[in-house]
Amino acid sequence: SSPIITAGGMRAIILREIVWSILINKIREKFGSGGEALLYYMGVDMGLEAAIEHKKRAEALGLREPDKITRILGASIFTSTGWGRMQIDKFTLNPHYALITVYNNFECEIGQASKKPYSQLTRGLIAGYLSHLLGLEMEVNETECLARGDPHCRFECKPKK
């Protein structure tokens, strides 16, 4: 029998790009804007779970600052697991603000050309992650998008009003 793949002590399931494409694009196709909302909120929960796990790992490394956890763990794990190459352009704690660029965002590469920002899952993931680390609800807006013809996806993150 084949071994079960794990990562961080949990079962890991590797999905090829075509499978992700079917999952994400069918949700959009079947449910329209409701599907986009679903993708966003799924991302929020995924980001929250990632932040909980990363915070535990960070404490073991003596890291407590949300900006360092995001740069050292968040961005590198996002990148190494195939979501795209995440770059933290700016991260301030007073005021709370982050500017994040994702190159080769898989969600936009598997999507169709779009007139509006497309990265609902990724946007939610970032929102959930930062909201947990900072202890307040963060709003994430995609200001540039690969699916819209921009060279990358860029996310501006600030506290929700």
Side-chain angles (χ1 to χ4, degrees):
S1 72
S2 299
I4 299 294
I5 300 167
T6 60
M10 292 180 160
R11 184 177 186 158
I13 301 161
I14 299 169
L15 300 176
R16 293 178 309 136
E17 188 176 343
I18 186 69
V19 178
W20 272 109
S21 178
I22 291 166
L23 281 168
I24 290 173
N25 293 328
K26 285 294 175 190
I27 288 172
R28 288 175 182 280
E29 190 183 301
K30 299 282 183 203
F31 303 106
S33 60
E36 291 198 346
L38 175 65
L39 288 167
Y40 173 79
Y41 287 108
M42 285 169 48
V44 168
D45 287 350
M46 291 163 79
L48 170 69
E49 285 302 317
I52 290 168
E53 181 64 31
H54 295 182
K55 216 170 169 180
K56 281 183 204 160
R57 287 188 198 182
E59 280 177 24
L61 299 169
L63 285 176
R64 293 199 173 10
E65 304 88 343
D67 54 331
K68 287 185 179 164
I69 294 170
T70 304
R71 285 179 197 280
I72 295 167
L73 292 174
S76 60
I77 292 171
F78 181 96
T79 299
S80 68
T81 53
W83 286 69
R85 187 168 57 84
M86 181 180 279
Q87 177 180 299
I88 311 300
D89 299 314
K90 188 172 183 180
F91 198 126
T92 60
L93 297 172
N94 190 15
H96 289 102
Y97 177 84
L99 188 63
I100 297 171
T101 302
V102 176
Y103 298 91
N104 302 104
N105 182 349
F106 93 95
E107 185 178 3
C108 291
E109 287 184 347
I110 63 172
Q112 287 101 31
S114 176
K115 286 183 171 51
K116 59 187 173 96
Y118 196 81
S119 313
Q120 300 305 327
L121 187 68
T122 307
R123 189 171 71 85
L125 183 88
I126 294 168
Y129 191 88
L130 293 179
S131 294
H132 180 73
L133 284 186
L134 296 169
L136 72 154
E137 199 175 350
M138 293 294 282
E139 180 176 67
V140 177
N141 291 305
E142 188 175 12
T143 58
E144 294 175 61
C145 180
L146 200 58
R148 208 171 58 183
D150 295 316
H152 48 250
C153 297
R154 182 163 284 147
F155 302 90
E156 190 173 43
C157 318
K158 35 191 182 203
K160 200 166 193 168
K161 290 181 178 147

